[in-house]
């Protein structure tokens, strides 16, 4: 009986140690899960912020491209006017030279 009681005490001590280890692992898992959830939350917030910045940059780039396009059109019109003006001046100059 004493031998069995000793074995039972050993088993009880082992069971207690195992239960304590399980509790510690459970606590660690709970902490690690909370850290992981906070990290995911932080990363999602950062991603949302970066996506917002990217949208702003894309809108700015679009506006810049539109401005460049508008300036290109304006320059082409002004170039056409200047070319026509030069053509008219050359024609007038030729006419005047012919009259001299």
């Amino acid at each position: 009986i004493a031998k069995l009681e000793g074995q039972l005490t050993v088993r009880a001590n082992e069971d207690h140690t195992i239960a304590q280890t399980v509790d510690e692992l459970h606590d660690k898992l709970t902490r690690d899960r909370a850290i992981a959830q906070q990290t995911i939350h932080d990363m999602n917030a950062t991603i949302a912020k970066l996506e917002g910045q990217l949208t702003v940059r894309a809108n700015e780039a679009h506006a810049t491209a539109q401005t460049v396009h508008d300036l290109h059109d304006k320059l082409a019109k002004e170039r056409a006017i200047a070319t026509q003006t030069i053509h008219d001046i050359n024609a007038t100059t030729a006419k005047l030279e012919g009259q001299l």
Side-chain angles (χ1 to χ4, degrees), residues 1-15:
I1 291 175
K3 181 179 176 185
L4 291 175
E5 286 175 342
Q7 290 175 350
L8 186 58
T9 300
V10 169
R11 299 277 186 202
N13 289 339
E14 289 172 350
D15 288 349

Side-chain angles (χ1 to χ4, degrees), residues 29 31 35 41 43 51 59 77 83 94-96:
L29 177 61
R31 285 191 306 272
I35 291 168
H41 175 76
M43 290 174 64
E51 285 174 339
N59 290 339
K77 289 175 187 171
T83 300
K95 181 179 177 184
L96 292 172

Side-chain angles (χ1 to χ4, degrees), residues 40-87:
I40 290 168
H41 175 76
D42 294 347
M43 290 174 64
N44 285 335
T46 300
I47 288 168
K49 180 181 175 184
L50 292 173
E51 285 174 339
Q53 291 174 350
L54 184 59
T55 298
V56 169
R57 299 277 193 226
N59 290 339
E60 289 172 349
H62 178 73
T64 300
Q66 186 62 48
T67 300
V68 169
H69 179 72
D70 293 347
L71 289 173
H72 182 268
D73 287 349
K74 184 176 180 182
L75 178 61
K77 289 175 187 171
E78 289 178 3
R79 182 178 287 142
I81 292 168
T83 300
Q84 185 60 48
T85 302
I86 291 169
H87 176 73

